[in-house]
Amino acid sequence: MDQRLNLIGLLQLLLLATSGNGLEWTVPDVVSSIKNVGSSIIDPKLLPTPQSLLEGSKQLLVGLPFEYVSSSINYICSQALSSNKIKSKFTPDITKMNFQLRTACVRTSFPLLEAEKMWNSPSFDPTKRVVILATGWTTQVNDTETIDKMAQAYNCRGDSNFVALDAASFVDTLYSWSAFNTDEIGLHLAHGLVKLLDVVSVDKIHLIGHSLGAHIVGAAGRYMQQLTGKMVPRITGLDPAKPCFNEGETLSGLLRGDATFVDVIHSNPGVLGKRDPMGDVDFYPGGLSALPTGCITVTCAHARAWEYFEESIYPGNERNFMAIRCSSIQGLRKNKCVGDDYPMGIAAPPSLKGNYFLDINAAKPYGKLSSSQRSARLLNCGECA
Ligand SMILES: *[C@@H]1O[C@H](CO)[C@@H](O)[C@H](O)[C@H]1NC(C)=O
């Protein structure tokens, strides 16, 4: 019963997006029957938030039913988008969006359109690189574990200025609206980057995005090329969101070519995250199974991508996750994959191409080559002393 409620809730997101547009769908029967149940409740206030849906999905022990629903939603969403009748309900407003520069102790916000002012901030070190992180779904910039942990890791490492994209509430609305907004937010981010390029050389910039954020930074990379002719050297996609993002559809999302080097970590392939390779290099830790070892929920799996990357940022951890080019995790485990191993995460070499597989631990530290002594030593590194 709980499971069915989740399915209805998820479909309601799409129903809200498509209601009243006279769209003709051809969807599996099971989906249309759920649609009929769902369509009697159209009060937007009754709709679950993406967060509550994700919380609800914790009750699902196996990824498979969810995987099927996810695919159905993906299909409906793509149909809705390609009809060109759907407009985002909340248009992202660039004047409400900020870069938030984070040192261990200080958080300073700069409007995207005044990004060049970051240069004059005492918190900004012009000799260092600039890492910009965009997240998905829950993007209260001051209340997001992903941002906090990644900021701490980079502040421990000490070689980069860490900046979070504060997309105001424009990613924190219903998933479908959020998905429709990613392109426009990406364009706004690109305008912010153009301002930043007044003071920072492009080769110092690294864009990282988790979930919907991966598609936002991908769009930013594309638009920046249009606006300046310059390419960001690296974009990292951490379990790029799957629902609504299809190959060749209106929203194609992050793709190789958006930066000189696009590296992607897939941790919930086929459910909340995309399964198909899209980067120059695509890492599949634990293989193509929707739930990596140690996870019994899709939210846990979706978060793993940034947790792996975060672990690799800490000094000494760069080679915790060694991966081999392969076509399956089974092949890897049977030693059928030949070739050198290369690090997944911060130290992924920009020349890497193809699909790479590796095994991971069920609990922290996740890297097969991690050291619990080193992890213990680094526990408070990067925190405000
Ligand atoms: C986040 O926190 C900083 C101070 O730590 C504050 O200046 C800023 O306004 C906060 N941003 C939001 C969106 O609440």
Side-chain angles (χ1 to χ4, degrees):
M1 193 59 198
D2 283 333
Q3 190 166 315
R4 195 171 140 260
L5 284 175
N6 280 330
L7 308 191
I8 292 169
L10 282 163
L11 280 150
Q12 280 173 346
L13 291 186
L14 276 304
L15 287 169
L16 180 68
T18 52
S19 60
N21 286 294
L23 293 175
E24 286 178 25
W25 305 334
T26 341
V27 291
D29 286 342
V30 61
V31 174
S32 45
S33 61
I34 294 169
K35 183 198 100 173
N36 292 334
V37 178
S39 59
S40 58
I41 314 162
I42 336 177
D43 182 354
K45 284 198 287 292
L46 295 178
L47 285 165
T49 63
Q51 190 56 31
S52 72
L53 287 172
L54 294 177
E55 292 297 321
S57 76
K58 285 180 181 164
Q59 291 150 5
L60 292 178
L61 289 185
V62 191
L64 273 184
F66 200 94
E67 189 163 6
Y68 175 72
V69 175
S70 164
S71 297
S72 307
I73 288 175
N74 201 25
Y75 178 79
I76 299 171
C77 194
S78 309
Q79 296 291 305
L81 278 168
S82 58
S83 79
N84 264 332
K85 286 182 186 165
I86 308 298
K87 288 280 169 285
S88 171
K89 192 172 168 191
F90 307 101
T91 304
D93 177 354
I94 191 168
T95 64
K96 296 203 173 105
M97 293 165 61
N98 296 288
F99 282 134
Q100 188 189 64
L101 174 64
R102 284 202 185 190
T103 61
C105 297
V106 182
R107 299 172 182 190
T108 322
S109 287
F110 304 87
L112 285 193
L113 290 174
E114 298 170 17
E116 75 284 358
K117 291 192 174 153
M118 210 186 290
W119 178 263
N120 299 317
S121 164
S123 299
F124 189 82
D125 185 339
T127 64
K128 294 177 180 172
R129 298 185 309 132
V130 180
V131 170
I132 299 174
L133 173 71
T135 56
W137 289 331
T138 53
T139 46
Q140 292 304 319
V141 70
N142 287 334
D143 186 25
T144 301
E145 192 194 10
T146 316
I147 297 175
D148 291 350
K149 298 282 189 183
M150 293 282 282
Q152 185 186 342
Y154 271 108
N155 281 314
C156 170
R157 188 171 182 84
D159 65 355
S160 304
N161 297 285
F162 180 86
V163 174
L165 173 67
D166 176 4
S169 56
F170 299 116
V171 189
D172 197 21
T173 51
L174 292 173
Y175 182 87
S176 44
W177 307 127
S178 298
F180 300 152
N181 279 345
T182 52
D183 199 64
E184 198 162 351
I185 294 175
L187 176 60
H188 292 340
L189 174 54
H191 281 292
L193 291 172
V194 170
K195 288 284 177 184
L196 199 60
L197 289 185
D198 287 350
V199 291
V200 175
S201 128
V202 69
D203 44 69
K204 285 196 168 159
I205 294 174
H206 179 189
L207 303 179
I208 305 179
H210 175 237
S211 187
L212 282 175
H215 302 311
I216 292 174
V217 293
R222 278 194 298 279
Y223 282 121
M224 216 196 74
Q225 289 172 47
Q226 284 179 20
L227 293 168
T228 66
K230 291 177 183 163
M231 210 185 231
V232 179
R234 182 177 180 187
I235 291 180
T236 300
L238 302 173
D239 213 30
K242 173 188 166 185
C244 300
F245 294 91
N246 268 355
E247 288 73 20
E249 301 283 352
T250 318
L251 292 179
S252 61
L254 175 66
L255 270 182
R256 67 187 71 86
D258 290 344
T260 312
F261 176 54
V262 176
D263 59 316
V264 178
I265 299 177
H266 300 263
S267 61
N268 188 215
V271 187
L272 296 177
K274 289 191 76 158
R275 179 188 172 104
D276 293 335
M278 67 191 77
D280 293 292
V281 61
D282 288 76
F283 293 97
Y284 293 91
L288 290 170
S289 113
L291 295 178
T293 171
C295 278
I296 55 166
T297 67
V298 291
T299 35
C300 166
H302 195 41
R304 280 289 190 88
W306 71 257
E307 293 185 287
Y308 300 149
F309 197 90
E310 175 219 354
E311 181 178 320
S312 79
I313 296 167
Y314 283 92
N317 281 0
E318 295 86 352
R319 298 173 70 83
N320 278 8
F321 300 90
M322 298 304 287
I324 297 182
R325 188 166 184 179
C326 206
S327 53
S328 74
I329 195 81
Q330 290 76 18
L332 179 83
R333 288 174 185 156
K334 287 179 188 154
N335 287 323
K336 282 190 178 157
C337 308
V338 288
D340 294 333
D341 53 355
Y342 294 97
M344 173 182 88
I346 193 165
S351 56
L352 224 49
K353 295 261 184 283
N355 299 332
Y356 281 72
F357 286 76
L358 66 154
D359 271 309
I360 64 275
N361 295 327
K364 286 182 185 176
Y366 296 114
K368 281 286 174 196
L369 297 180
S370 58
S371 134
S372 28
Q373 286 95 325
R374 189 167 59 232
S375 300
R377 231 179 16 247
L378 291 167
L379 198 59
N380 303 112
C381 182
E383 281 182 349
C384 186

